[in-house]
Amino acid sequence: MKRCAPGDPSLARCHEVVLGVPGNRKTTYIHDVASRAGSSGETVLIFSHTRAAVQEVRHRLATNASCGDEMVHVATMHAWCSCAAASVGQPHASLHTLIPEALHALNTQQGIKWLSGERRDLLCVDEAQDLSPDQLAVVRLIVTAWQCRCLVVGDPSQSIFGFQGARPMLLVQVVPQLLRDATASYDCVVQCRAENFRCSPAIVRAANLNLK
């Protein structure tokens, strides 16, 4: 496994899966990668799980004039999938059926055309430990259709959406190979980051004992 910095030239043709402990500045890493991409003329889509998280990322990006919504779009996956469903005339899907209905929509002729028009150069997925199998299928469909780079960030130990179908170990066991299989020309780099910038080492040790 490799440790890289945002903008590392070795990542230009690679997907990234970043596994980071709590307080590791994983969202900051996404912000830095997306900012560099937007500033260099690449278009970016960032998925986060909650509206509060979306607003936080938007607030951070607002300081960079090159990262307006046209260049770097930030949304919850549910909001983006609602647009996908609406593209084929399904605007009122319930929260529980939205992702499956969006997957169905994106496999229709209208949905494929809409997806093509939404193409971005880079897809970033924050808090990926909370992806359900259907949400992961959306990621795979997007990366396959766009043949874009993908940055996936998370920590299986921090999953909180199991009640909505999250499967945290998919992040470790499935995502890296899924990304390699989705694109013909990209490898996948997996990074493990253990630094905690939020708590003292003593608190981290105590928390790790409880996790065990």
Side-chain angles (χ1 to χ4, degrees):
M1 295 186 182
K2 186 177 181 180
R3 174 66 185 265
C4 302
D8 188 317
S10 69
L11 299 176
R13 301 297 297 176
C14 287
H15 302 299
E16 289 182 79
V17 176
V18 178
L19 307 174
V21 299
N24 186 249
R25 299 176 180 168
K26 297 182 291 296
T27 301
T28 298
Y29 185 76
I30 282 185
H31 164 267
D32 291 347
V33 170
S35 291
R36 284 177 177 270
S39 297
S40 64
E42 290 187 291
T43 51
V44 185
L45 171 62
I46 301 176
F47 281 146
S48 203
H49 272 274
T50 66
R51 283 177 288 182
V54 165
Q55 290 303 319
E56 171 63 21
V57 176
R58 285 176 178 166
H59 177 72
R60 294 190 191 192
L61 290 169
T63 60
N64 187 337
S66 301
C67 293
D69 192 64
E70 286 187 5
M71 299 304 294
V72 182
H73 180 65
V74 190
T76 64
M77 185 177 289
H78 280 87
W80 189 88
C81 283
S82 179
C83 293
S87 74
V88 297
Q90 297 176 343
H92 301 297
S94 73
L95 181 64
H96 298 295
T97 63
L98 177 56
I99 303 297
E101 289 185 17
L103 282 169
H104 172 75
L106 290 169
N107 280 289
T108 65
Q109 187 173 1
Q110 277 182 283
I112 292 169
K113 182 178 179 181
W114 178 84
L115 183 59
S116 176
E118 293 293 310
R119 191 192 180 283
R120 300 267 166 166
D121 300 303
L122 172 65
L123 172 66
C124 300
V125 184
D126 199 6
E127 305 293 355
Q129 72 275 359
D130 286 317
L131 291 175
S132 68
D134 280 345
Q135 289 172 321
L136 185 56
V138 171
V139 172
R140 178 168 123 9
L141 190 151
I142 291 172
V143 174
T144 302
W146 292 352
Q147 289 295 290
C148 64
R149 287 189 299 126
C150 186
L151 167 61
V152 178
V153 172
D155 176 8
S157 297
Q158 294 187 67
S159 180
I160 59 173
F161 283 96
F163 65 95
Q164 289 186 353
R167 297 293 181 268
M169 292 314 296
L170 292 175
L171 177 59
V172 178
Q173 298 170 351
V174 175
V175 169
Q177 191 58 50
L178 178 148
L179 293 176
R180 291 187 187 101
D181 292 343
T183 49
S185 56
Y186 291 89
D187 195 3
C188 184
V189 172
V190 179
Q191 303 189 54
C192 288
R193 297 177 167 234
E195 301 94 334
N196 187 309
F197 300 99
R198 187 181 298 153
C199 304
S200 70
I203 292 175
V204 172
R205 284 194 296 272
N208 285 336
L209 286 173
N210 284 329
L211 281 174
K212 293 175 183 178

